[in-house]
Amino acid sequence: MGEVYQMALELVDRIRNGKMDETISRVYPGKEICQVRRRLAGICQGYEKLFGITGELHGFSVPGRTELGGNHTDHQHGCVLAAGVDLDSAAAAAPNGEDTIRLFSEGYGMLEVDIREIQPRREEQNTTAALIRGVVAYLREQGHQIGGFHAYVSSEVLPGSGLSSSASFEVLIGIICSGLFAKGQLSPALLAQAGQYAENRYFGKPCGLMDQMACAMGGVIFLDFTDSQNPYTRKIPFDLRQAGYDLCILDCGAGHEGLTGEYASIVQEMNAVAACFHKEYLREVDENKFFSALKQVRETAGDRAALRAIHFFRENRRVPMEAEALKVGDFHRFLSLVGESGRSSYMYLQNIVPRGAVEHQEMGIALALCEELLCGKGAFRVHGGGFAGTVQAFVPHSMLSHFRQSAEEVLGPGSCLVLSLRHAGAIQLW
């Protein structure tokens, strides 16, 4: 016991004394190294304080993600361009030799999940326990012997930030299971599928696979969801800072509460258009046939559904062009396509203003503010689901200080988050 405890003290000393700086620099490219040292050492100390040290302690990290292209295309089996960011969910964890997972998350407290029973529980829907149970259930169904563990979790991927806090957490549980019980051999795709399974079947949210894949893989990633369970993936080497730009995520100041129906209507209306052609998803519909039958589509599915289908067809063509522009280093072409995406979401997808909203149109104001501050430079667009939440902006380095200060004067202190892209996906740190 004394030897194990001494190893834990040495781990904290290694972190504090810079012996993990190479890993820190690789995993957290936009962060101050001293800041990351303090956070990781604090996670280890938090673990020791709550659980003691009874075995070798391991560290894990999973990034949040940003959607670069493909707004509301994944649920129609379309294409998406996404990237990992330098805000992450991190944990210290160790096996406990039991059939129980005890997890403490900063800001949320302690949670205990008995994994002898891995069937979905109705009373756990919409809870963190459901996500943990669901990930373990999926990995066990795939033949992996997953046991109990203790974990201390710290997350910078805040709920409502548009950076997929739930997906980052789900994949974190997966990478902990991989590191502790599968010798780190579980693939990013498997970790992503476990997260989606947990969210769909246990948590009760019918999400696609895009968020989990982006968190698990990291970097800039092109995803084609023709086969939604096994999407085609391709990493694209790209350095945003070398291009001379910063990525900003603006919190428009409105929450997602009460908007479930708005999000569901996008899926329902796109599916209704697909059904006009006896198809399940718009990806299966020929665009030329759609426009030839536009009169009938309007009569059957309605005008907004038809406009949302037009957004899908055009957005789905844009994503491969965006990926190619980044691949060949034509960043100005990429920015032009980002601008087209933003206009399409506003005009055709119509996921900016909630139905009936008059006095409160926070996302519309944030988009108008970006247009005013950027003066025709960079690009901006709705980020993620829409109606509330966040706006994404690509801001030239030279304009960042003024952009951030001016945006926060209108939207509030701390509303403009400046991010770096992260190349490492789900990773075991030590």
Side-chain angles (χ1 to χ4, degrees):
M1 178 68 178
E3 183 179 348
V4 171
Y5 187 76
Q6 183 62 35
M7 289 170 60
L9 292 177
E10 291 174 358
L11 172 61
V12 172
D13 286 341
R14 275 176 34 224
I15 294 170
R16 285 178 166 169
N17 295 332
K19 294 181 180 178
M20 290 189 63
D21 283 1
E22 184 177 346
T23 298
I24 289 172
S25 298
R26 176 169 53 88
V27 176
Y28 300 94
K31 298 281 190 176
E32 290 284 345
I33 286 182
C34 290
Q35 176 187 347
V36 180
R37 285 180 191 162
R38 286 194 296 270
R39 179 167 174 246
L40 295 180
I43 290 171
C44 294
Q45 291 173 314
Y47 180 98
E48 187 273 332
K49 183 177 179 179
L50 284 173
F51 303 113
I53 301 294
T54 57
E56 187 174 356
L57 193 60
H58 300 273
F60 304 89
S61 169
V62 176
R65 73 96 187 99
T66 183
E67 171 204 288
L68 301 178
N71 196 217
H72 280 282
T73 52
D74 60 330
H75 53 72
Q76 296 300 310
H77 292 204
C79 299
V80 177
L81 189 67
V85 298
D86 61 345
L87 298 182
D88 74 329
S89 302
N96 59 23
E98 305 173 23
D99 284 318
T100 301
I101 293 173
R102 295 184 186 89
L103 181 145
F104 178 87
S105 183
E106 291 179 349
Y108 297 94
M110 184 71 75
L111 186 66
E112 185 171 305
V113 179
D114 184 340
I115 55 174
R116 289 174 297 183
E117 173 57 60
I118 58 172
Q119 295 303 311
R121 294 184 176 183
R122 180 173 297 180
E123 69 274 15
E124 282 185 351
Q125 280 198 346
N126 298 304
T127 69
T128 302
L131 298 177
I132 296 171
R133 194 182 306 279
V135 169
V136 171
Y138 185 84
L139 295 178
R140 284 183 174 178
E141 286 177 11
Q142 303 306 307
H144 301 286
Q145 302 300 313
I146 307 300
F149 58 85
H150 292 153
Y152 185 100
V153 175
S154 168
S155 181
E156 299 173 320
V157 192
L158 300 176
S161 65
L163 302 172
S164 295
S165 58
S166 58
S168 179
F169 178 80
E170 293 152 15
V171 176
L172 179 68
I173 298 302
I175 192 67
I176 290 173
C177 292
S178 178
L180 299 186
F181 305 108
K183 299 180 179 179
Q185 297 301 305
L186 303 188
S187 70
L190 182 62
L191 300 181
Q193 288 162 352
Q196 183 199 25
Y197 179 87
E199 198 152 344
N200 291 173
R201 296 280 301 277
Y202 287 70
F203 188 84
K205 180 181 176 182
C207 70
L209 190 60
M210 183 267 284
D211 292 349
Q212 291 83 359
M213 286 294 293
C215 292
M217 294 188 68
V220 177
I221 177 174
F222 171 79
L223 296 151
D224 185 332
F225 288 98
T226 299
D227 180 349
S228 62
Q229 292 305 305
N230 296 285
Y232 168 79
T233 63
R234 175 164 55 93
K235 273 201 168 186
I236 302 170
F238 175 69
D239 189 327
L240 180 62
R241 291 191 176 276
Q242 276 194 348
Y245 284 78
D246 288 285
L247 172 63
C248 295
I249 299 295
L250 282 75
D251 183 349
C252 73
H256 292 89
E257 298 81 11
L259 295 174
T260 300
E262 296 279 16
Y263 301 124
S265 73
I266 294 177
V267 180
Q268 292 163 1
E269 291 178 15
M270 287 187 177
N271 289 347
V273 173
C276 294
F277 300 89
H278 308 290
K279 303 294 185 182
E280 191 172 358
Y281 304 103
L282 284 177
R283 185 66 181 273
E284 303 170 313
V285 176
D286 182 272
E287 185 177 355
N288 293 325
K289 291 182 179 178
F290 163 80
F291 277 104
S292 296
L294 184 55
K295 183 175 184 294
Q296 292 77 19
V297 170
R298 292 177 64 196
E299 292 171 353
T300 303
D303 282 356
R304 190 174 69 170
L307 288 166
R308 285 174 164 174
I310 290 171
H311 164 82
F312 169 82
F313 290 126
R314 294 179 178 176
E315 184 79 344
N316 203 50
R317 286 202 307 271
R318 258 188 297 272
V319 174
M321 292 190 287
E322 289 174 328
E324 182 63 22
L326 291 183
K327 180 182 175 183
V328 301
D330 189 350
F331 194 63
H332 290 291
R333 171 62 172 157
F334 171 76
L335 291 177
S336 176
L337 292 165
V338 169
E340 289 180 17
S341 171
R343 288 188 292 275
S344 180
S345 291
Y346 213 144
M347 294 171 60
Y348 302 123
L349 183 60
Q350 299 179 42
N351 66 333
I352 307 302
V353 181
R355 187 181 307 183
V358 177
E359 293 183 4
H360 295 284
Q361 298 188 16
E362 293 90 347
M363 182 157 283
I365 290 293
L367 290 166
L369 183 62
C370 287
E371 184 175 35
E372 177 68 17
L373 294 176
L374 287 174
C375 304
K377 300 177 182 178
F380 58 94
R381 63 193 282 273
V382 59
H383 185 237
F387 301 110
T390 55
V391 165
Q392 179 187 75
F394 293 91
V395 182
H397 286 329
S398 60
M399 300 176 69
L400 178 63
S401 179
H402 174 70
F403 179 90
R404 188 176 192 177
Q405 179 180 345
S406 300
E408 294 193 350
E409 286 176 0
V410 176
L411 302 177
S415 58
C416 181
L417 203 59
V418 183
L419 303 179
S420 294
L421 301 184
R422 166 170 152 167
H423 298 291
I427 188 171
Q428 182 167 346
L429 297 169
W430 64 80

